[in-house]
Coordinates of all heavy atoms in Angstrom, one line a residue:
M179 N 25.0 20.4 -145.6 CA 25.4 21.0 -146.8 C 24.2 21.8 -147.4 O 23.1 21.3 -147.3 CB 25.9 20.0 -147.8 CG 27.1 19.3 -147.4 SD 28.6 20.0 -148.0 CE 28.9 19.1 -149.5
M180 N 24.5 23.0 -147.9 CA 23.5 23.7 -148.6 C 24.2 24.4 -149.8 O 25.4 24.4 -149.9 CB 22.8 24.7 -147.7 CG 23.6 25.9 -147.3 SD 22.5 27.0 -146.3 CE 21.5 27.8 -147.5
F181 N 23.3 24.9 -150.7 CA 23.9 25.6 -151.9 C 24.3 27.0 -151.6 O 23.7 27.7 -150.7 CB 22.8 25.6 -153.0 CG 22.6 24.3 -153.7 CD1 21.4 23.6 -153.5 CD2 23.6 23.8 -154.5 CE1 21.2 22.3 -154.1 CE2 23.4 22.6 -155.1 CZ 22.2 21.8 -154.9
Y182 N 25.3 27.5 -152.3 CA 25.7 28.9 -152.3 C 25.9 29.4 -153.7 O 26.4 28.7 -154.6 CB 27.0 29.0 -151.5 CG 26.8 28.7 -150.0 CD1 27.0 27.3 -149.6 CD2 26.5 29.6 -149.1 CE1 26.7 27.0 -148.3 CE2 26.3 29.3 -147.8 CZ 26.4 28.0 -147.4 OH 26.1 27.7 -146.1
A183 N 25.4 30.6 -153.9 CA 25.6 31.3 -155.2 C 26.9 32.1 -155.2 O 27.0 33.0 -154.3 CB 24.4 32.1 -155.6
I184 N 27.8 31.9 -156.1 CA 29.0 32.7 -156.1 C 29.0 33.5 -157.4 O 28.8 32.9 -158.5 CB 30.2 31.7 -156.1 CG1 30.3 30.9 -154.9 CG2 31.5 32.5 -156.3 CD1 31.3 29.7 -154.9
V185 N 29.0 34.8 -157.3 CA 29.0 35.6 -158.5 C 30.3 36.4 -158.5 O 30.6 37.2 -157.6 CB 27.8 36.6 -158.4 CG1 27.8 37.5 -159.6 CG2 26.4 35.8 -158.4
G186 N 31.0 36.2 -159.6 CA 32.3 36.9 -159.8 C 32.0 38.0 -160.9 O 31.4 37.7 -161.9
E187 N 32.4 39.2 -160.6 CA 32.3 40.3 -161.6 C 33.6 40.6 -162.2 O 34.6 41.0 -161.4 CB 31.7 41.5 -160.9 CG 30.3 41.2 -160.4 CD 29.7 42.4 -159.6 OE1 29.9 43.5 -160.0 OE2 29.1 42.2 -158.6
D188 N 33.7 40.5 -163.5 CA 35.0 40.8 -164.2 C 35.4 42.2 -164.2 O 34.6 43.1 -164.3 CB 34.9 40.3 -165.6 CG 34.9 38.8 -165.8 OD1 34.7 38.1 -164.8 OD2 35.2 38.3 -166.9
R189 N 36.7 42.4 -164.1 CA 37.3 43.8 -164.3 C 37.2 44.0 -165.8 O 37.2 43.0 -166.6 CB 38.8 43.8 -163.9 CG 39.1 43.7 -162.5 CD 40.6 43.7 -162.2 NE 41.0 43.1 -161.0 CZ 40.8 43.7 -159.8 NH1 40.4 44.9 -159.7 NH2 41.2 43.1 -158.7
P190 N 37.1 45.2 -166.3 CA 37.1 45.5 -167.7 C 38.4 45.0 -168.4 O 39.5 45.1 -167.7 CB 37.0 47.0 -167.8 CG 36.5 47.5 -166.5 CD 36.9 46.5 -165.5
D191 N 38.3 44.6 -169.6 CA 39.5 44.3 -170.4 C 40.4 43.2 -169.8 O 41.6 43.3 -169.8 CB 40.4 45.5 -170.7 CG 39.5 46.6 -171.4 OD1 38.8 46.3 -172.3 OD2 39.6 47.8 -170.9
T192 N 39.7 42.1 -169.3 CA 40.5 41.0 -168.7 C 40.2 39.7 -169.5 O 40.5 38.6 -168.9 CB 40.2 40.8 -167.2 OG1 38.8 40.7 -167.1 CG2 40.7 42.0 -166.4
L193 N 39.8 39.8 -170.7 CA 39.5 38.6 -171.5 C 40.7 37.7 -171.6 O 40.7 36.5 -171.5 CB 38.9 38.9 -172.9 CG 38.5 37.7 -173.7 CD1 37.5 36.8 -173.0 CD2 38.0 38.1 -175.1
A194 N 41.9 38.3 -171.9 CA 43.1 37.5 -172.1 C 43.4 36.7 -170.8 O 43.8 35.5 -170.8 CB 44.3 38.4 -172.5
Q195 N 43.3 37.4 -169.7 CA 43.6 36.8 -168.4 C 42.6 35.7 -168.1 O 42.9 34.6 -167.6 CB 43.6 37.8 -167.2 CG 44.7 38.8 -167.3 CD 44.3 40.1 -168.0 OE1 43.6 40.1 -169.0 NE2 44.6 41.2 -167.3
R196 N 41.3 35.9 -168.4 CA 40.3 34.9 -168.2 C 40.6 33.7 -169.0 O 40.5 32.6 -168.5 CB 38.9 35.5 -168.6 CG 37.8 34.5 -168.6 CD 36.5 35.2 -169.1 NE 35.7 35.7 -168.0 CZ 34.8 35.0 -167.3 NH1 34.7 33.7 -167.5 NH2 34.2 35.5 -166.3
L197 N 40.9 33.9 -170.3 CA 41.2 32.7 -171.2 C 42.4 31.9 -170.7 O 42.4 30.7 -170.7 CB 41.4 33.2 -172.6 CG 40.1 33.8 -173.3 CD1 40.5 34.3 -174.7 CD2 39.0 32.7 -173.3
A198 N 43.4 32.6 -170.2 CA 44.6 31.9 -169.7 C 44.3 31.1 -168.4 O 44.9 30.1 -168.2 CB 45.7 33.0 -169.4
A199 N 43.5 31.7 -167.6 CA 43.2 31.0 -166.3 C 42.0 30.0 -166.4 O 41.8 29.2 -165.5 CB 42.9 32.0 -165.2
R200 N 41.3 30.0 -167.5 CA 40.1 29.1 -167.7 C 40.4 27.7 -167.4 O 39.6 27.0 -166.7 CB 39.5 29.4 -169.1 CG 38.2 28.6 -169.2 CD 37.5 29.0 -170.5 NE 36.1 28.4 -170.5 CZ 35.9 27.2 -170.9 NH1 36.8 26.3 -171.2 NH2 34.6 26.7 -170.8
P201 N 41.4 27.0 -168.0 CA 41.6 25.6 -167.7 C 41.6 25.2 -166.2 O 41.0 24.3 -165.8 CB 42.9 25.3 -168.4 CG 43.0 26.3 -169.5 CD 42.4 27.5 -168.9
D202 N 42.3 26.0 -165.4 CA 42.4 25.8 -164.0 C 41.1 26.0 -163.3 O 40.7 25.3 -162.4 CB 43.5 26.6 -163.3 CG 44.9 26.2 -163.8 OD1 45.1 25.0 -164.2 OD2 45.8 27.0 -163.7
H203 N 40.4 27.1 -163.8 CA 39.1 27.4 -163.2 C 38.1 26.3 -163.5 O 37.4 25.8 -162.6 CB 38.6 28.7 -163.9 CG 37.2 29.1 -163.6 ND1 36.8 29.7 -162.5 CD2 36.1 29.0 -164.4 CE1 35.5 30.0 -162.5 NE2 35.0 29.5 -163.7
V204 N 38.1 25.8 -164.7 CA 37.1 24.7 -165.1 C 37.5 23.4 -164.4 O 36.6 22.7 -164.0 CB 37.1 24.5 -166.6 CG1 36.3 23.3 -167.0 CG2 36.5 25.7 -167.3
Q205 N 38.8 23.2 -164.2 CA 39.2 21.9 -163.5 C 38.6 21.9 -162.0 O 38.1 20.9 -161.6 CB 40.7 21.9 -163.4 CG 41.2 20.6 -162.7 CD 42.8 20.6 -162.7 OE1 43.4 21.4 -163.2 NE2 43.3 19.6 -162.0
R206 N 38.6 23.1 -161.4 CA 38.0 23.1 -160.0 C 36.5 22.9 -160.1 O 35.9 22.2 -159.2 CB 38.3 24.5 -159.4 CG 39.7 24.7 -159.1 CD 40.0 26.1 -158.5 NE 39.7 26.1 -157.1 CZ 38.9 26.9 -156.5 NH1 38.2 27.8 -157.1 NH2 38.7 26.8 -155.2
L207 N 35.8 23.4 -161.1 CA 34.4 23.2 -161.2 C 34.1 21.7 -161.5 O 33.2 21.1 -161.0 CB 33.8 24.0 -162.4 CG 33.9 25.5 -162.1 CD1 33.5 26.3 -163.3 CD2 32.9 25.9 -160.9
K208 N 34.9 21.1 -162.3 CA 34.7 19.6 -162.6 C 35.0 18.8 -161.4 O 34.3 17.8 -161.2 CB 35.7 19.2 -163.8 CG 35.2 19.7 -165.1 CD 36.1 19.2 -166.2 CE 35.5 19.7 -167.6 NZ 36.3 19.2 -168.7
A209 N 35.8 19.2 -160.5 CA 36.0 18.5 -159.2 C 34.8 18.6 -158.4 O 34.3 17.6 -157.8 CB 37.2 19.1 -158.5
L210 N 34.1 19.7 -158.3 CA 32.9 19.9 -157.6 C 31.8 19.0 -158.3 O 31.0 18.3 -157.6 CB 32.4 21.3 -157.6 CG 33.1 22.3 -156.7 CD1 32.4 23.7 -156.9 CD2 33.0 21.9 -155.2
Q211 N 31.8 19.0 -159.6 CA 30.8 18.2 -160.3 C 31.0 16.7 -160.0 O 30.0 15.9 -159.8 CB 30.9 18.4 -161.8 CG 29.9 17.7 -162.6 CD 30.0 18.0 -164.1 OE1 31.0 18.5 -164.6 NE2 28.9 17.6 -164.8
A212 N 32.3 16.2 -160.0 CA 32.6 14.8 -159.7 C 32.1 14.4 -158.3 O 31.8 13.3 -158.1 CB 34.1 14.6 -159.9
E213 N 32.1 15.4 -157.4 CA 31.7 15.1 -156.0 C 30.2 15.3 -155.9 O 29.7 15.1 -154.8 CB 32.4 16.1 -155.1 CG 33.9 16.0 -155.0 CD 34.6 17.1 -154.3 OE1 33.9 18.0 -153.7 OE2 35.8 17.1 -154.3
G214 N 29.5 15.6 -157.0 CA 28.0 15.8 -156.9 C 27.6 17.0 -156.2 O 26.4 17.1 -155.8
R215 N 28.5 18.1 -156.2 CA 28.1 19.3 -155.4 C 27.8 20.5 -156.3 O 27.4 21.5 -155.8 CB 29.3 19.6 -154.5 CG 29.5 18.6 -153.4 CD 30.8 18.8 -152.7 NE 31.0 20.1 -152.3 CZ 32.2 20.7 -152.0 NH1 33.3 19.9 -152.1 NH2 32.4 21.9 -151.7
L216 N 28.0 20.3 -157.6 CA 27.8 21.5 -158.6 C 26.4 21.5 -159.1 O 26.0 20.5 -159.8 CB 28.8 21.4 -159.7 CG 28.8 22.6 -160.7 CD1 29.2 23.9 -160.0 CD2 29.7 22.3 -161.9
L217 N 25.7 22.5 -158.9 CA 24.3 22.6 -159.5 C 24.4 23.2 -160.9 O 23.8 22.7 -161.8 CB 23.4 23.5 -158.6 CG 22.0 23.7 -159.1 CD1 21.3 22.3 -159.1 CD2 21.2 24.7 -158.2
M218 N 25.2 24.3 -161.0 CA 25.4 24.9 -162.3 C 26.6 25.9 -162.3 O 26.9 26.4 -161.2 CB 24.1 25.6 -162.8 CG 23.8 26.9 -162.0 SD 22.7 27.9 -163.0 CE 21.3 28.0 -162.0
A219 N 27.1 26.2 -163.4 CA 28.2 27.2 -163.5 C 28.3 27.7 -164.9 O 28.0 27.0 -165.9 CB 29.5 26.6 -163.1
G220 N 28.6 29.0 -165.1 CA 28.8 29.5 -166.4 C 29.1 31.0 -166.4 O 28.9 31.7 -165.3
P221 N 29.5 31.6 -167.5 CA 29.9 33.0 -167.6 C 28.7 33.8 -168.1 O 27.7 33.3 -168.6 CB 31.0 33.0 -168.6 CG 30.6 31.9 -169.6 CD 30.0 30.8 -168.7
F222 N 28.8 35.1 -167.8 CA 27.9 36.1 -168.4 C 28.5 36.8 -169.6 O 29.4 37.6 -169.5 CB 27.6 37.2 -167.3 CG 27.0 36.7 -166.0 CD1 27.6 36.8 -164.9 CD2 25.7 36.2 -166.0 CE1 27.1 36.4 -163.7 CE2 25.1 35.7 -164.8 CZ 25.8 35.8 -163.6
P223 N 28.0 36.4 -170.8 CA 28.5 37.1 -172.0 C 28.3 38.6 -171.9 O 27.3 39.1 -171.4 CB 27.8 36.5 -173.2 CG 27.3 35.2 -172.6 CD 27.0 35.4 -171.2
A224 N 29.2 39.4 -172.4 CA 29.1 40.8 -172.4 C 28.1 41.4 -173.4 O 27.7 42.5 -173.3 CB 30.5 41.5 -172.6
I225 N 27.8 40.6 -174.4 CA 26.8 40.9 -175.4 C 25.8 39.8 -175.5 O 26.0 38.7 -174.9 CB 27.4 41.2 -176.8 CG1 28.1 40.0 -177.3 CG2 28.3 42.4 -176.7 CD1 28.7 40.1 -178.7
D226 N 24.6 40.1 -176.1 CA 23.6 39.1 -176.2 C 23.9 38.0 -177.3 O 23.3 38.0 -178.4 CB 22.3 39.8 -176.6 CG 21.0 38.9 -176.5 OD1 21.2 37.8 -175.9 OD2 20.0 39.3 -176.9
A227 N 24.8 37.2 -176.9 CA 25.3 36.1 -177.9 C 25.9 35.0 -177.1 O 26.6 35.3 -176.1 CB 26.3 36.7 -178.9
P228 N 25.7 33.7 -177.4 CA 26.3 32.6 -176.7 C 27.8 32.7 -176.8 O 28.5 32.3 -175.8 CB 25.8 31.4 -177.4 CG 24.8 31.8 -178.4 CD 24.8 33.3 -178.5
D229 N 28.4 33.1 -177.9 CA 29.8 33.3 -178.0 C 30.1 34.8 -178.3 O 30.0 35.3 -179.4 CB 30.4 32.5 -179.2 CG 31.9 32.6 -179.3 OD1 32.5 33.4 -178.6 OD2 32.5 32.0 -180.2
P230 N 30.5 35.5 -177.2 CA 30.7 37.0 -177.4 C 31.9 37.4 -178.1 O 32.2 38.6 -178.3 CB 30.7 37.5 -175.9 CG 31.2 36.3 -175.2 CD 30.7 35.1 -175.9
G231 N 32.8 36.4 -178.5 CA 34.0 36.8 -179.1 C 34.9 37.8 -178.4 O 35.0 37.7 -177.1
P232 N 35.4 38.8 -179.0 CA 36.3 39.8 -178.3 C 35.6 40.6 -177.3 O 36.2 41.3 -176.5 CB 36.9 40.6 -179.5 CG 36.0 40.4 -180.6 CD 35.3 39.0 -180.5
A233 N 34.2 40.7 -177.3 CA 33.5 41.4 -176.3 C 33.7 40.8 -174.9 O 33.6 41.5 -173.9 CB 32.0 41.5 -176.6
G234 N 33.9 39.5 -174.9 CA 34.3 38.8 -173.7 C 33.1 38.6 -172.7 O 31.9 38.5 -173.2
F235 N 33.4 38.6 -171.5 CA 32.4 38.3 -170.4 C 32.4 39.4 -169.3 O 33.4 40.1 -169.2 CB 32.7 36.9 -169.8 CG 32.7 35.9 -170.9 CD1 33.8 35.5 -171.6 CD2 31.5 35.2 -171.2 CE1 33.8 34.5 -172.5 CE2 31.5 34.2 -172.2 CZ 32.6 33.9 -172.8
T236 N 31.3 39.4 -168.6 CA 31.2 40.4 -167.5 C 31.3 39.7 -166.1 O 31.4 40.4 -165.1 CB 29.9 41.2 -167.6 OG1 28.8 40.3 -167.4 CG2 29.8 42.0 -168.9
G237 N 31.4 38.4 -166.1 CA 31.5 37.7 -164.8 C 31.0 36.3 -165.0 O 30.9 35.8 -166.1
S238 N 30.8 35.6 -163.8 CA 30.4 34.2 -163.8 C 29.5 34.0 -162.6 O 29.5 34.7 -161.6 CB 31.7 33.3 -163.6 OG 32.7 33.6 -164.5
L239 N 28.7 32.9 -162.8 CA 27.8 32.4 -161.8 C 28.1 30.9 -161.5 O 28.2 30.1 -162.4 CB 26.3 32.5 -162.2 CG 25.3 31.8 -161.3 CD1 25.3 32.4 -159.9 CD2 24.0 31.8 -161.9
I240 N 28.3 30.6 -160.2 CA 28.5 29.2 -159.8 C 27.6 29.0 -158.7 O 27.5 29.8 -157.7 CB 30.0 29.0 -159.3 CG1 31.0 29.3 -160.4 CG2 30.2 27.6 -158.7 CD1 32.4 29.6 -159.9
V241 N 26.8 27.9 -158.8 CA 25.9 27.5 -157.7 C 26.4 26.1 -157.3 O 26.3 25.1 -158.1 CB 24.4 27.5 -158.0 CG1 23.6 27.1 -156.8 CG2 24.0 28.9 -158.5
A242 N 26.8 25.9 -156.1 CA 27.4 24.6 -155.6 C 27.1 24.4 -154.1 O 26.9 25.4 -153.4 CB 28.9 24.6 -155.9
E243 N 27.2 23.2 -153.7 CA 27.0 22.9 -152.3 C 28.4 23.0 -151.5 O 29.4 22.5 -152.0 CB 26.5 21.4 -152.1 CG 25.1 21.3 -152.4 CD 24.6 19.8 -152.1 OE1 25.3 18.9 -152.6 OE2 23.6 19.7 -151.5
F244 N 28.3 23.6 -150.3 CA 29.4 23.7 -149.4 C 28.9 23.5 -148.0 O 27.7 23.7 -147.7 CB 30.0 25.1 -149.5 CG 30.7 25.3 -150.8 CD1 30.0 25.9 -151.9 CD2 32.0 24.9 -151.0 CE1 30.7 26.1 -153.1 CE2 32.7 25.1 -152.3 CZ 32.0 25.7 -153.3
P245 N 29.7 23.1 -147.1 CA 29.3 22.8 -145.7 C 28.9 24.1 -145.0 O 28.2 24.1 -144.0 CB 30.4 22.1 -145.0 CG 31.6 22.3 -145.9 CD 31.1 22.6 -147.3
S246 N 29.4 25.3 -145.4 CA 29.1 26.6 -144.7 C 29.4 27.7 -145.7 O 30.1 27.6 -146.7 CB 29.9 26.7 -143.5 OG 31.3 26.8 -143.8
L247 N 28.9 28.9 -145.3 CA 29.2 30.1 -146.0 C 30.7 30.4 -146.0 O 31.3 30.8 -147.0 CB 28.5 31.3 -145.4 CG 28.7 32.7 -146.0 CD1 28.3 32.7 -147.5 CD2 27.9 33.7 -145.3
T248 N 31.4 30.1 -144.8 CA 32.8 30.3 -144.7 C 33.6 29.4 -145.7 O 34.5 29.8 -146.4 CB 33.3 30.0 -143.3 OG1 32.6 30.9 -142.4 CG2 34.7 30.2 -143.1
A249 N 33.1 28.1 -145.8 CA 33.8 27.2 -146.8 C 33.5 27.7 -148.2 O 34.5 27.6 -149.0 CB 33.2 25.8 -146.6
A250 N 32.3 28.1 -148.5 CA 32.0 28.6 -149.9 C 32.9 29.8 -150.2 O 33.5 29.9 -151.3 CB 30.6 29.0 -150.0
R251 N 33.0 30.8 -149.3 CA 33.9 32.0 -149.5 C 35.3 31.6 -149.7 O 36.0 32.1 -150.5 CB 33.7 32.9 -148.3 CG 34.7 34.0 -148.2 CD 34.8 34.9 -149.4 NE 33.7 35.8 -149.6 CZ 33.6 36.5 -150.7 NH1 34.5 36.5 -151.7 NH2 32.5 37.3 -150.9
A252 N 35.8 30.6 -148.9 CA 37.2 30.2 -149.0 C 37.5 29.6 -150.4 O 38.5 29.8 -151.0 CB 37.6 29.2 -147.9
W253 N 36.5 28.8 -150.8 CA 36.6 28.2 -152.2 C 36.6 29.2 -153.2 O 37.5 29.2 -154.2 CB 35.5 27.2 -152.4 CG 35.6 26.4 -153.6 CD1 36.2 25.1 -153.8 CD2 35.2 26.7 -155.0 NE1 36.2 24.7 -155.1 CE2 35.5 25.7 -155.8 CE3 34.5 27.8 -155.5 CZ2 35.2 25.7 -157.2 CZ3 34.2 27.9 -156.8 CH2 34.6 26.8 -157.7
A254 N 35.7 30.2 -153.1 CA 35.6 31.3 -154.1 C 36.9 32.1 -154.1 O 37.4 32.5 -155.2 CB 34.4 32.2 -153.8
D255 N 37.4 32.4 -152.9 CA 38.7 33.2 -152.8 C 39.9 32.6 -153.5 O 40.8 33.2 -153.9 CB 39.0 33.5 -151.4 CG 38.0 34.6 -150.8 OD1 37.3 35.2 -151.5 OD2 38.0 34.7 -149.5
A256 N 39.8 31.2 -153.6 CA 41.0 30.5 -154.2 C 40.8 30.2 -155.7 O 41.6 29.5 -156.3 CB 41.1 29.1 -153.4
D257 N 39.8 30.9 -156.3 CA 39.5 30.7 -157.7 C 40.7 31.2 -158.5 O 41.2 32.3 -158.2 CB 38.2 31.3 -158.1 CG 37.8 30.9 -159.5 OD1 38.4 31.3 -160.5 OD2 36.8 30.1 -159.5
P258 N 41.1 30.5 -159.6 CA 42.2 31.0 -160.5 C 41.8 32.4 -161.1 O 42.7 33.2 -161.4 CB 42.3 29.9 -161.5 CG 41.9 28.7 -160.8 CD 40.8 29.1 -159.9
Y259 N 40.5 32.7 -161.3 CA 40.2 34.0 -161.8 C 40.5 35.1 -160.8 O 40.8 36.2 -161.2 CB 38.7 34.1 -162.2 CG 38.4 33.3 -163.5 CD1 37.1 33.1 -163.9 CD2 39.4 32.8 -164.4 CE1 36.7 32.4 -165.0 CE2 39.0 32.1 -165.5 CZ 37.7 32.0 -165.9 OH 37.4 31.3 -167.0
V260 N 40.4 34.8 -159.5 CA 40.8 35.8 -158.5 C 42.3 36.0 -158.6 O 42.8 37.2 -158.7 CB 40.4 35.3 -157.1 CG1 41.0 36.3 -156.0 CG2 38.9 35.3 -157.0
A261 N 43.1 34.9 -158.6 CA 44.5 35.0 -158.7 C 45.0 35.7 -159.9 O 46.0 36.5 -159.9 CB 45.2 33.6 -158.6
A262 N 44.3 35.6 -161.0 CA 44.7 36.2 -162.3 C 44.2 37.6 -162.5 O 44.5 38.3 -163.5 CB 44.2 35.3 -163.5
G263 N 43.5 38.1 -161.5 CA 43.0 39.5 -161.6 C 41.8 39.7 -162.5 O 41.5 40.8 -162.8
V264 N 41.1 38.6 -162.8 CA 39.9 38.7 -163.7 C 38.8 39.3 -162.9 O 38.1 40.3 -163.4 CB 39.6 37.3 -164.3 CG1 38.2 37.4 -165.0 CG2 40.7 36.8 -165.1
Y265 N 38.5 38.8 -161.7 CA 37.4 39.2 -160.9 C 37.7 40.5 -160.2 O 38.7 40.6 -159.5 CB 36.9 38.2 -159.9 CG 36.3 37.0 -160.5 CD1 36.3 35.8 -159.8 CD2 35.6 37.0 -161.7 CE1 35.6 34.6 -160.3 CE2 34.9 35.9 -162.2 CZ 35.0 34.7 -161.5 OH 34.3 33.6 -162.0
D266 N 36.8 41.5 -160.3 CA 36.9 42.7 -159.5 C 36.3 42.5 -158.2 O 36.7 43.1 -157.2 CB 36.2 43.8 -160.3 CG 36.4 45.2 -159.7 OD1 37.5 45.5 -159.1 OD2 35.4 45.9 -159.7
R267 N 35.2 41.8 -158.2 CA 34.5 41.5 -156.9 C 33.8 40.2 -157.0 O 33.4 39.7 -158.0 CB 33.4 42.6 -156.8 CG 32.6 42.5 -155.5 CD 31.7 43.7 -155.2 NE 30.8 44.0 -156.3 CZ 29.5 44.3 -156.1 NH1 29.1 44.5 -154.9 NH2 28.7 44.5 -157.1
V268 N 33.8 39.5 -155.8 CA 33.1 38.2 -155.7 C 32.1 38.2 -154.6 O 32.5 38.6 -153.5 CB 34.1 37.0 -155.5 CG1 33.4 35.7 -155.4 CG2 35.2 37.0 -156.7
T269 N 30.9 37.9 -154.9 CA 29.8 37.8 -153.8 C 29.4 36.4 -153.6 O 29.3 35.6 -154.6 CB 28.6 38.6 -154.3 OG1 29.0 39.9 -154.7 CG2 27.5 38.7 -153.2
V270 N 29.3 36.0 -152.4 CA 28.9 34.6 -152.0 C 27.7 34.7 -151.1 O 27.7 35.4 -150.1 CB 30.0 33.8 -151.3 CG1 29.6 32.4 -151.0 CG2 31.3 33.8 -152.1
R271 N 26.6 34.0 -151.5 CA 25.3 34.1 -150.8 C 24.7 32.7 -150.7 O 24.8 31.9 -151.6 CB 24.4 35.0 -151.5 CG 24.9 36.5 -151.7 CD 24.0 37.3 -152.5 NE 22.7 37.4 -151.9 CZ 21.7 38.1 -152.5 NH1 21.9 38.7 -153.7 NH2 20.5 38.2 -151.9
P272 N 24.1 32.4 -149.6 CA 23.3 31.2 -149.5 C 22.2 31.2 -150.6 O 21.7 32.2 -150.9 CB 22.7 31.3 -148.1 CG 23.5 32.2 -147.3 CD 24.0 33.2 -148.3
F273 N 22.0 30.0 -151.1 CA 21.0 29.8 -152.2 C 20.1 28.6 -151.9 O 20.6 27.6 -151.6 CB 21.7 29.6 -153.5 CG 20.8 29.4 -154.7 CD1 20.3 30.5 -155.3 CD2 20.5 28.1 -155.1 CE1 19.4 30.3 -156.4 CE2 19.7 27.9 -156.2 CZ 19.2 29.0 -156.9
K274 N 18.8 28.8 -151.9 CA 17.9 27.7 -151.7 C 17.2 27.3 -153.0 O 16.5 28.1 -153.7 CB 16.8 28.2 -150.7 CG 15.8 27.0 -150.4 CD 14.7 27.4 -149.4 CE 13.7 26.3 -149.2 NZ 12.7 26.7 -148.3
K275 N 17.6 26.1 -153.5 CA 17.0 25.6 -154.7 C 15.6 25.1 -154.5 O 15.3 24.3 -153.6 CB 17.9 24.4 -155.3 CG 17.3 23.8 -156.5 CD 18.2 22.7 -157.0 CE 17.7 22.0 -158.2 NZ 16.6 21.1 -158.0
V276 N 14.6 25.7 -155.3 CA 13.2 25.3 -155.1 C 12.8 24.5 -156.4 O 12.2 23.4 -156.3 CB 12.4 26.5 -154.9 CG1 10.9 26.1 -154.9 CG2 12.7 27.2 -153.6
L277 N 13.1 25.0 -157.6 CA 12.7 24.4 -158.8 C 13.9 24.3 -159.8 O 14.7 25.2 -159.7 CB 11.5 25.1 -159.5 CG 10.2 25.1 -158.7 CD1 9.2 26.1 -159.3 CD2 9.6 23.7 -158.6
P278 N 13.9 23.4 -160.6 CA 13.1 22.2 -160.6 C 13.3 21.3 -159.4 O 14.4 21.2 -158.9 CB 13.4 21.5 -161.9 CG 14.8 21.9 -162.3 CD 15.0 23.3 -161.7
A279 N 12.2 20.7 -159.0 CA 12.2 19.9 -157.8 C 12.8 18.5 -158.1 O 12.8 18.1 -159.2 CB 10.8 19.8 -157.2

């Protein structure tokens, strides 16, 4: 197993879809966390504020362990944000955690 960085980039004006799909999205992340495979996850606010309000978000970052790039891509492709049309593009790349050690 190794880490993979999953970066989803939001389509413009999809905050409502994001909010509607969020519970299912978070549930999948909590499952990874329960399995000890989630390093970190969170959204990119569209403005320089922890709560961007109606400005929404521009995407998300997830770093988690998977057995392969193919498995990480399959997991990313099944994300509720993909099904809801929130993400315009999803990039999956191998990630090597160095620090903190």
Side-chain angles (χ1 to χ4, degrees):
M179 295 268 263
M180 70 177 287
F181 285 109
Y182 293 88
I184 300 168
V185 178
E187 298 176 40
D188 287 15
R189 294 181 201 281
D191 303 315
T192 56
L193 181 58
Q195 293 96 312
R196 176 183 264 274
L197 295 175
R200 186 174 187 276
D202 292 336
H203 171 79
V204 171
Q205 182 179 355
R206 294 178 82 233
L207 294 170
K208 286 184 177 180
L210 286 178
Q211 182 178 18
E213 295 169 7
R215 296 170 46 203
L216 182 65
L217 182 62
M218 70 160 120
F222 299 115
I225 59 174
D226 189 13
D229 180 358
F235 301 91
T236 62
S238 305
L239 169 66
I240 300 162
V241 181
E243 282 185 313
F244 293 93
S246 67
L247 180 58
T248 300
R251 167 53 73 188
W253 188 91
D255 288 346
D257 194 287
Y259 286 171
V260 172
V264 174
Y265 289 155
D266 184 41
R267 182 168 60 137
V268 178
T269 305
V270 182
R271 299 172 63 182
F273 178 81
K274 182 177 177 183
K275 181 182 178 280
V276 175
L277 294 171

